[in-house]
Amino acid sequence: MPSKQFTAADRTALAQVGKVFTQHAEALGAESLARLFLSHPASKIYFSDFTDYSAAGPRVRAQGAKIIGAVAEATGHLDDLHAHLEKLAAKHGQVLLVDPQNFPILASCILVTAACHLDDFSADDHFALDKLLTLICQELRSQYR
């Protein structure tokens, strides 16, 4: 049974966003992470082995691609986000010990980057992506005590 959290319009929008994110994961992810590091420098603590925090930095590009790739993949699991993100949530909450307040900050950076680069990023697309990112943040926080 489909989740009631996402409307048919949300699903259509997220399918399109997911395609673009998959095709441009490295560039969009690098810009999103660089935006995070610039606007919230304290977040660099989780990436202390990076030497270049700009969007051109090779580690930023690689990590950014993973992040945007994970968001793109989540667009295909709208009805089972909890199960889909369970291992990732455990890793962030129990192994990496990322402060969960960083997730919504990064989500905002992803939204801004998407708005800057997706040609047909309508208000409805923005709303659908924001809804997805909010739920992803909730799931990633689920393994914290």
Side-chain angles (χ1 to χ4, degrees):
M1 171 179 250
S3 169
K4 294 182 182 185
Q5 293 175 313
F6 295 101
T7 66
D10 291 339
R11 291 169 186 279
T12 300
L14 290 171
Q16 288 301 99
V17 168
K19 286 179 188 176
V20 174
F21 274 21
T22 298
Q23 294 169 349
H24 304 285
E26 186 177 282
L28 294 172
E31 184 173 327
S32 297
L33 264 184
R35 193 178 299 277
L36 172 72
F37 296 145
L38 185 61
S39 60
H40 299 281
S43 63
K44 292 178 184 177
I45 193 168
Y46 302 105
F47 304 94
S48 59
D49 56 333
F50 286 20
T51 56
D52 180 356
Y53 291 94
S54 75
R59 308 275 316 263
V60 173
R61 294 187 77 74
Q63 186 63 34
K66 286 182 189 177
I67 292 167
I68 295 300
V71 173
E73 188 175 330
T75 65
H77 296 275
L78 299 179
D79 295 324
D80 64 346
L81 279 175
H82 178 74
H84 176 68
L85 296 171
E86 194 168 17
K87 288 181 184 175
L88 193 59
K91 181 177 181 180
H92 282 79
Q94 298 170 10
V95 177
L96 299 175
L97 303 175
V98 175
D99 182 341
Q101 293 182 38
N102 285 292
F103 300 136
I105 297 169
L106 177 57
S108 293
C109 293
I110 292 169
L111 273 172
V112 169
T113 301
C116 289
H117 293 286
L118 276 62
D119 292 333
D120 296 325
F121 195 65
S122 69
D124 290 336
D125 298 339
H126 184 120
F127 180 75
L129 181 56
D130 184 47
K131 187 186 299 187
L132 174 62
L133 291 170
T134 298
L135 291 171
I136 289 172
C137 290
Q138 289 173 356
E139 289 303 329
L140 291 178
R141 288 190 297 246
S142 70
Q143 295 289 322
Y144 289 80
R145 295 188 184 260

